Structures are given as structure tokens and as C-alpha cells.
Amino acid sequence: MLYHEAAKVLDRLDRGEGSIKGLVFASHDHTLRRGGPTKHTSSRSGDADRKRLFALVCEALKYKEILWPLFEASGLGSANSKV
């Protein structure tokens, strides 16, 4: 789930739909609304998830120049990919 959310944030960043921080918070809030709160979910675990998502997006952006050509060459960057 974390990697799928990161991919969505990265796609929206590529389209210029917002800032990293704004999209991470929006993505996280949307996920919580969609799934609904569980009795095991606390604000601390939500903050930890948000931090993990933010860190993952930042690391992906740091290595973007290396990762994106690899995705394209392997076929993972295609619209038909089910990753």
C-alpha cells in the first residue's frame, strides 16, 4: 500500500498538481477517509505512515535520474504495467 501511495504522489508531482508535502498529506488523508479509521489506528501511527510516505517519495525523487530510465527500459513505466 505504501508503494502504491508513493507512486500516486510521484505521478501527481510529475503533472504539477502540488508540492511534495501537500500531496503526501492529501494522499494520506484520502487513504484514511477511504478506508475509514480502525480501532487500532492512532494519530501517532498516522503520523508515522505519513513520515514513511514522505521519506519514500523524497528518496525516489533523489534517484529519479537513475530509476526512471530503468523503469522505462524494463517496461515497468508503461501504462499497461500492473506494478
Side-chain angles (χ1 to χ4, degrees):
M1 182 78 165
L2 180 68
Y3 291 100
H4 290 283
E5 291 300 316
K8 290 176 190 176
V9 169
L10 290 167
D11 284 341
R12 293 182 68 193
L13 276 171
D14 267 353
R15 292 191 303 261
E17 294 181 12
S19 67
I20 298 171
K21 189 174 180 181
L23 292 173
V24 166
F25 278 94
S27 173
H28 184 72
D29 291 343
H30 175 69
T31 303
L32 285 178
R33 279 195 302 267
R34 194 177 55 205
T38 62
K39 70 179 180 182
H40 300 293
T41 303
S42 69
S43 64
R44 282 192 174 175
S45 67
D47 289 343
D49 290 344
R50 190 176 296 129
K51 288 178 184 179
R52 288 175 40 216
L53 179 59
F54 186 81
L56 181 58
V57 169
C58 288
E59 287 298 307
L61 290 172
K62 186 191 307 185
Y63 296 104
K64 181 179 180 176
E65 291 182 20
I66 298 169
L67 292 174
W68 267 241
L70 292 174
F71 288 144
E72 293 298 323
S74 68
L76 292 174
S78 69
N80 296 330
S81 177
K82 294 274 185 182
V83 176

